[in-house]
Amino acid sequence: MEYSTEQDWEIVIGLEIHTQLATQSKIFSGASTQYGAEPNTQACAVDLGLPGVLPVLNEEAVSMAIKFGLAIDAEIAPYSVFARKNYFYPDLPKGYQISQMDLPIVGKGHLDIDVDGVTKRVGITRAHLEEDAGKSLHEDFHGLTGIDLNRAGTPLLEIVSEPDMRSAKEAVAYMRKIHELVRYLGISDGNMQEGSFRCDANVSVRPKGQQEFGTRTEIKNINSFRFIEKAINFEVERHIEIIEGGGRIVQETRLYDADKDQTRSMRSKEEANDYRYFPDPDLLPVLIDSELLASIKANLPELPTAKKQRFKDQYLLDDESATILTSSRDLADYFETVVAKSGAEAKLCANWVTGEVIAALNKNGIEITEAPISPDRLGGLLLRINDNTISGKIAKQVFETMWQEPGGADEIIASKGLQQITDTGAIEAIIDQIIADNPDQVAQYRSGKDKVFSFFVGQAMKQTQGKASPAEVNKMLKAKLQ
Amino acid sequence: MSIFQLSITELAQGLRDGEFSSVELTKNYLERIKQHPELNCFVTLTEDHALSAANLADQRLANGTAEILTGIPIAQKDIFCTLGVKTTCGSKMLDNFIAPYNATVVEKLNASGAVMLGKLNMDEFAMGSSNENSYYGPVKNPWNTQTVPGGSSGGSAAAVAARLIVATTGTDTGGSIRQPAAFCGITGLKPTYGRVSRYGMIAYASSLDQGGPMARSAEDAAILLQSMAGFDPKDSTSANTPVPDYRADLNKPLDGLKIGLPKEFFTADLNSDIAATLEKAINEFTKLGATITDVSMPNLQMAIPAYYIIAPAECSANLSRFDGVRYGYRCANPANLADLYTRSRGEAFGTEVKRRILIGTYALSAGYYDAYYLKAQKVRRLISDDFKKALAEVDVLMGPVTPSTAFDLNEKSNDPIQMYLSDIYTIAINLAGVPAMSIPAGFVDNMPVGLQIIGNFFAEDRLLNIAHQFQQVTDWHQRTPKGFE
């Protein structure tokens, strides 16, 4: 039912992404930002908001924000200001959050996303630095709320997009692209389960062709790509249903309930806080000169788009392989190490990494950095395919062994006797025997049934336990069956 | 002469000559403080801490590592956090608060070997001009115990005036060092904003707050400031400029000194007896070789309205952390979160603190921000420009500290506007950020009158030199209230 009407509506989405910056210490104190410590063991006097203490800006957080700004072609503000955002909440120790309002560090930029083979440019309004709040723990205490301030003061970069996305799919693609980018830049671990990367979505709909935006609702604090898509789709349907039923959308903040797959109202615009932003008098304006910018620019890592193009040019990879291999910096680095180590054709390495390696990672639910086969070891294996020591098929057996056990490819090949039979005399004898044993098939082949050829190859590989070089077997069979 | 009349230099000499030990000196002062509870200068006496610090000081004196302040009894305004010692800020809110750290000022004075005898009474969260806003009751002016000592550093000023302590720290957001110094006839210096670290100094209005010394003479103030001043990496707004030797130029002659008198300071609002007293004092400077010129600072009249937007705006955020959640006062049996907040804050903050939080919250609210806060910031810039212009023409500005001498207890406590106007000559200096001193300049009806000397940014050494030269030819700063000789 929705689909018949959705065609008449245009969906408008803007995202606010909060990404935790991977600094060693907090944005305004020296306390550690390590995740998972005992509650309140990583909160110093500044994080606790004790009387008289003062914030001191962590320069590393500034550098990271600049890196992000440069990566999205944004203007980096030469002069930006921290402001206090005032509201009361038990996990907000000072009664205000130090954030940026009028003068954010990163100005207008943009990012290109690919959806269904079409490239689209999404505008980024701004990105600003702020401190995270602590956590309120309601579950663990009967009738009480526990406050853990370990997270209080963790640096966040809030990245605000323009309302440029027109489908949940585009929103997911944008969120993924930002996620990939911050990890590439090494400014965030992007760990969504730990809350290092989370998103608020502003959603509205309008009749196709209408210029002004519809009334929007904001879905708060979504920390998965799957949920953002579901939450937006739910919200879009809700909006259309209300409007088509003659109702009006109420501007409000909503929460997505993943269990019920629906959003529910959190607070209306009228209940919204007046945050009473004003410049924080405890902190000086952040001044960024061209020298600092130049030095950060010079040390920027290769970005995903550039890397993908380079992979296509340098390794002659197709678009799909290049896309997969550059989807994370770790995977790209893995691939390049394999190529260097094996000396094999890049295409072969790409097939192995995008095929066997990724399949094994997915099966085990682990990341490339946790792969039990290091790129050096895999390179050692592919080296042996390349020099014809083993066939691709045998290599897969060796790969499985390597995944389970330590040891280099050469050791495993040697200990299991998996070397290819390079003695052509031995292969010839086996092939002669096969031809002698199967006169019917020989006759069929000779009468023009080419398909039967694979039967002979299969027999030869079977009798050599796969150790014969397939190329050699092919060549010899072709000659003998003439 | 009584040891209670000795200056820091004289005491340091006595300690070195073995006339008395720091422990003896400390015990004498502790005894004297206890003899004068009627002044209500101290919120907390730190006897044990003081005696062990005095012991340490005596060891340093014996082994030759002592500095000028080593062994000298001082006291801290109760706005400076002290490790292991209650820091109340004059509020019920912090009646139970013990900081796990020292303010940088405390750390520095401790390191110099100064012996802290206790924490001094003050207006709650430094908001007030009479010391009547303290949860611990008002401080009395030793010159006349029916009158106020001024505020917010009232305990600091009264204790020095009554010779209960050699020197003290104070803080000045709109006049809180200079006004009580004037009312109590002592010497107080508000340094350039950023000269003294604000770390561990409980914030009232962060862009205006500045700690400084309160003492009997400019020389003692110079010694104290020497120890307090300096860049602090823990305070982003502290100035990373070298600290000069504040005693080096004390004896420099004042020949050629150019003094400017802002005509806006000498209007009908100023009590005529005070005006006459100041005129005589300023005349002393001409005898010392200074020249006097009139200057105009047309925007000074807007200082009080601008201040009463900016300071409350900042305080409304600064005091949000006092929410009953982590430390400080918490109401009994809160029904829910809102109840916890409203009753904890409602029960623990005093009237003036609440008033300023409300004013500040209002001034920052959506729809009012531009009209109030932004406008006040523009006015602040104009006032600051007035000072820059004037101080480009003259070396220092002089004027009154207060429009009257100390007023009676309860005289203005129900009239906030009248109370605010008592800071009319001091507030603009905080908005500009420049340093200023109040020095004893005479008496009207047996009550002390202060002369204000305002200098350029980081010209504390010049101010101290001028004040010291004046104190070489006058003895107003030596006068002691009756019963405290």
Side-chain angles (χ1 to χ4, degrees):
Chain A
M1 168 193 112
E2 296 85 6
Y3 285 98
S4 61
T5 56
E6 256 177 27
Q7 288 163 8
D8 305 327
W9 295 94
E10 184 173 49
I11 302 162
V12 176
I13 304 162
L15 297 185
E16 290 168 23
I17 293 175
H18 292 83
T19 184
Q20 270 182 17
L21 297 177
T23 51
Q24 293 297 304
S25 57
K26 294 188 177 174
I27 185 165
F28 299 119
S29 85
S32 166
T33 52
Q34 196 78 41
Y35 179 84
E38 282 294 301
N40 299 311
T41 55
Q42 287 181 177
C44 69
V46 174
D47 307 320
L48 294 173
L50 291 183
V53 298
L54 295 169
V56 176
L57 178 61
N58 181 341
E59 298 293 336
E60 201 187 354
V62 174
S63 300
M64 287 180 170
I66 294 173
K67 278 185 189 173
F68 178 79
L70 291 172
I72 58 159
D73 277 330
E75 295 160 25
I76 308 298
Y79 179 97
S80 66
V81 169
F82 283 100
R84 294 183 180 177
K85 177 181 180 180
N86 295 286
Y87 66 96
F88 282 98
Y89 205 69
D91 59 24
L92 186 73
K94 297 187 293 297
Y96 58 84
Q97 178 194 28
I98 304 177
S99 181
Q100 296 191 299
M101 183 59 184
D102 290 336
L103 296 163
I105 185 161
V106 176
K108 269 189 183 307
H110 56 81
L111 195 65
D112 291 343
I113 58 170
D114 296 303
V115 178
D116 299 333
V118 180
T119 300
K120 173 170 181 163
R121 177 154 287 190
V122 176
I124 292 172
T125 318
R126 58 184 282 166
H128 67 254
L129 285 166
E130 62 184 24
E131 58 178 343
D132 209 343
K135 276 182 190 160
S136 295
L137 308 164
H138 304 288
E139 300 83 20
D140 308 348
F141 309 90
H142 293 289
L144 295 170
T145 297
I147 308 291
D148 178 5
L149 294 176
N150 282 352
R151 199 180 66 181
T154 300
L156 294 178
L157 188 66
E158 180 174 336
I159 304 157
V160 182
S161 84
E162 293 286 311
D164 282 353
M165 286 151 281
R166 294 290 172 265
S167 68
K169 230 174 169 182
E170 286 184 7
V172 172
Y174 167 79
M175 193 174 166
R176 280 191 187 279
K177 196 78 188 254
I178 295 274
H179 187 248
E180 173 189 280
L181 184 60
V182 295
R183 298 202 320 160
Y184 251 85
L185 293 167
I187 63 173
S188 175
D189 65 15
N191 191 319
M192 298 173 91
Q193 261 136 33
E194 293 173 5
S196 301
F197 193 86
R198 45 192 205 262
C199 178
D200 305 336
N202 284 291
V203 178
S204 66
V205 299
R206 62 182 169 191
K208 277 199 176 141
Q210 180 179 302
Q211 279 301 303
E212 67 261 43
F213 293 127
T215 304
R216 68 188 156 88
T217 53
E218 181 180 18
I219 318 167
K220 273 272 180 216
N221 239 342
I222 311 167
N223 66 346
S224 112
F225 298 121
R226 206 157 56 86
F227 291 164
I228 191 97
E229 186 162 11
K230 289 178 142 196
I232 290 173
N233 283 333
F234 176 87
E235 198 54 18
V236 165
E237 283 178 28
R238 196 182 67 86
H239 280 216
I240 292 171
E241 229 172 81
I242 289 174
I243 298 169
E244 292 193 338
R248 293 182 57 178
I249 302 299
V250 180
Q251 186 173 338
E252 62 182 355
T253 303
R254 299 177 69 85
L255 277 179
Y256 176 68
D257 182 336
D259 294 333
K260 294 181 182 154
D261 185 23
Q262 60 186 40
T263 66
R264 61 181 152 80
S265 181
M266 194 174 140
R267 57 170 180 258
S268 74
K269 191 188 173 192
E270 284 70 32
E271 295 168 85
N273 280 308
D274 176 357
Y275 291 121
R276 307 188 310 277
Y277 281 96
F278 74 104
D280 191 332
D282 286 334
L283 290 159
L284 301 176
V286 183
L287 304 178
I288 295 164
D289 57 24
S290 50
E291 230 169 279
L292 177 66
L293 272 190
S295 85
I296 291 175
K297 204 168 201 164
N299 291 310
L300 270 190
E302 187 181 26
L303 297 178
T305 312
K307 199 184 278 282
K308 181 175 157 188
Q309 192 54 50
R310 179 169 66 80
F311 276 23
K312 286 160 88 169
D313 296 342
Q314 182 181 340
Y315 301 117
L316 306 173
L317 300 182
D318 57 38
D319 191 76
E320 195 191 342
S321 302
T323 303
I324 295 171
L325 289 172
T326 56
S327 65
S328 89
R329 196 168 147 185
D330 290 327
L331 191 62
D333 288 348
Y334 187 98
F335 164 72
E336 293 208 275
T337 311
V338 172
V339 173
K341 183 75 187 176
S342 66
E345 215 186 310
K347 183 100 180 60
L348 175 76
C349 299
N351 287 343
W352 271 81
V353 175
T354 58
E356 301 301 314
V357 174
I358 288 181
L361 293 176
N362 289 344
K363 194 173 143 196
N364 291 281
I366 56 174
E367 296 292 319
I368 185 69
T369 46
E370 302 162 308
I373 302 181
S374 70
D376 281 3
R377 285 175 78 209
L378 184 64
L381 175 61
L382 302 193
L383 174 66
R384 294 303 165 228
I385 299 176
N386 206 43
D387 69 7
N388 282 323
T389 307
I390 53 172
S391 66
K393 197 170 172 190
I394 293 288
K396 283 175 190 177
Q397 286 177 38
V398 179
F399 179 86
E400 270 165 37
T401 309
M402 288 172 82
W403 193 269
Q404 306 299 335
E405 300 166 12
D410 288 351
E411 285 170 53
I412 293 166
I413 292 166
S415 71
K416 299 202 167 180
L418 297 172
Q419 295 94 330
Q420 234 158 209
I421 300 166
T422 46
D423 177 356
T424 47
I427 298 173
E428 190 172 5
I430 290 167
I431 284 175
D432 286 342
Q433 191 58 51
I434 291 168
I435 289 173
D437 289 350
N438 299 284
D440 292 352
Q441 283 81 356
V442 172
Q444 283 173 23
Y445 180 77
R446 287 192 175 138
S447 68
K449 279 199 168 177
D450 289 350
K451 274 186 188 166
V452 189
F453 188 74
S454 60
F455 163 79
F456 293 105
V457 176
Q459 287 295 311
M461 296 312 284
K462 189 175 166 191
Q463 293 193 24
T464 59
Q465 285 132 25
K467 291 187 282 183
S469 152
E472 189 63 35
V473 168
N474 277 358
K475 200 174 105 192
M476 217 173 269
L477 271 171
K478 283 231 163 93
K480 300 226 177 229
L481 287 170
Q482 283 286 317
Chain B
M1 197 177 11
S2 151
I3 55 159
F4 301 116
Q5 295 291 355
L6 298 179
S7 70
I8 293 175
T9 320
E10 289 162 341
L11 288 169
Q13 197 56 49
L15 287 166
R16 281 158 183 76
D17 293 347
E19 284 173 36
F20 40 79
S21 69
S22 176
V23 170
E24 285 165 351
L25 192 57
T26 300
K27 282 181 174 165
N28 271 286
Y29 266 104
L30 283 169
E31 192 51 41
R32 185 171 169 88
I33 292 167
K34 287 187 211 163
Q35 281 166 8
H36 293 288
E38 78 283 4
L39 295 180
N40 199 25
C41 290
F42 284 82
V43 172
T44 307
L45 263 191
T46 52
E47 270 185 83
D48 293 348
H49 165 93
L51 288 171
S52 67
N55 244 313
L56 255 159
D58 283 331
Q59 287 169 30
R60 285 181 68 178
L61 284 155
N63 68 24
T65 59
E67 303 166 34
I68 178 97
L69 272 173
T70 306
I72 307 294
I74 61 150
Q76 298 281 0
K77 184 176 180 181
D78 209 13
I79 197 169
F80 290 102
C81 287
T82 42
L83 174 69
V85 173
K86 195 166 81 159
T87 300
T88 69
C89 221
S91 180
K92 180 179 180 182
M93 182 58 88
L94 293 178
D95 186 44
N96 62 1
F97 177 68
I98 297 176
Y101 46 86
N102 277 326
T104 298
V105 161
V106 173
E107 199 70 47
K108 283 177 161 243
L109 283 167
N110 284 353
S112 76
V115 177
M116 181 182 82
L117 304 199
K119 307 290 297 285
L120 295 156
N121 205 346
M122 57 181 284
D123 280 303
E124 184 178 10
F125 286 104
M127 300 178 200
S129 310
S130 68
N131 220 117
E132 292 166 296
N133 297 337
S134 170
Y135 175 61
Y136 301 95
V139 173
K140 310 288 171 58
N141 190 324
W143 291 95
N144 173 356
T145 52
Q146 301 303 307
T147 65
V148 301
S152 65
S153 312
S156 302
V160 170
R163 276 47 177 172
L164 304 187
I165 195 79
V166 181
T168 58
T169 57
T171 62
D172 190 318
T173 305
S176 284
I177 286 176
R178 290 159 290 157
Q179 187 250 21
F183 277 7
C184 292
I186 67 160
T187 301
L189 168 59
K190 181 208 90 76
T192 308
Y193 181 79
R195 181 70 294 178
V196 170
S197 168
R198 292 188 297 115
Y199 184 83
M201 187 178 111
I202 298 176
Y204 156 28
S206 312
S207 75
L208 301 160
D209 295 343
Q210 184 59 204
M214 301 179 78
R216 297 205 285 264
S217 67
E219 187 183 19
D220 283 2
I223 292 168
L224 213 63
L225 180 64
Q226 195 75 53
S227 177
M228 296 169 76
F231 174 65
D232 180 5
K234 287 191 251 178
D235 174 3
S236 310
T237 63
S238 82
N240 199 352
T241 42
V243 178
D245 179 350
Y246 289 121
R247 281 188 297 159
D249 287 343
L250 286 181
N251 291 314
K252 216 169 88 175
L254 300 185
D255 296 314
L257 175 71
K258 282 193 269 181
I259 298 171
L261 302 180
K263 67 175 180 140
E264 291 77 8
F265 274 0
F266 296 91
T267 63
D269 293 335
L270 180 62
N271 171 297
S272 58
D273 293 336
I274 291 188
T277 307
L278 294 180
E279 199 176 317
K280 267 191 225 160
I282 291 164
N283 203 29
E284 288 294 331
F285 287 102
T286 48
K287 288 190 215 160
L288 291 168
T291 55
I292 314 286
T293 42
D294 286 332
V295 296
S296 175
M297 303 173 71
N299 296 300
L300 282 185
Q301 52 165 346
M302 295 190 286
I304 288 202
Y307 175 89
Y308 278 101
I309 295 296
I310 293 168
E314 292 182 10
C315 101
S316 73
N318 281 334
L319 271 61
S320 291
R321 66 188 61 197
F322 305 110
D323 57 5
V325 173
R326 296 167 313 287
Y327 53 81
Y329 181 82
R330 179 187 286 194
C331 67
N333 308 314
N336 52 43
L337 183 59
D339 189 42
L340 169 73
Y341 284 151
T342 50
R343 280 206 291 126
S344 296
R345 290 166 67 80
E347 290 166 16
F349 285 144
T351 309
E352 185 58 30
V353 170
K354 286 178 191 163
R355 178 162 28 238
R356 294 194 196 186
I357 290 174
L358 287 173
I359 294 171
T361 303
Y362 179 82
L364 289 174
S365 295
Y368 299 104
Y369 180 84
D370 290 4
Y372 292 113
Y373 184 79
L374 271 192
K375 182 75 87 184
Q377 290 292 8
K378 286 177 187 165
V379 169
R380 182 177 189 173
R381 170 69 66 84
L382 293 176
I383 290 170
S384 182
D385 289 347
D386 272 4
F387 276 96
K388 282 179 193 155
K389 239 179 271 171
L391 287 165
E393 291 166 26
V394 297
D395 298 318
V396 290
L397 300 165
M398 287 190 187
V401 183
T402 56
S404 70
T405 56
F407 46 86
D408 287 348
L409 284 159
N410 302 318
E411 185 184 327
K412 300 186 179 182
S413 49
N414 291 317
D415 189 347
I417 300 292
Q418 277 308 308
M419 191 70 93
Y420 296 170
L421 286 172
S422 68
D423 292 330
I424 192 160
Y425 302 120
T426 49
I427 272 178
I429 283 86
N430 297 79
L431 291 171
V434 294
M437 284 185 86
S438 171
I439 60 170
F443 287 82
V444 168
D445 297 336
N446 299 316
M447 292 303 284
V449 172
L451 169 72
Q452 187 166 211
I453 315 173
I454 305 154
N456 223 325
F457 293 96
F458 300 104
E460 286 82 3
D461 47 354
R462 189 66 168 143
L463 295 183
L464 289 161
N465 162 229
I466 293 165
H468 181 71
Q469 288 305 301
F470 181 78
Q471 290 177 348
Q472 298 309 294
V473 296
T474 59
D475 71 346
W476 306 119
H477 64 293
Q478 307 281 21
R479 306 284 180 93
T480 310
K482 210 172 260 167
F484 298 94
E485 292 91 348

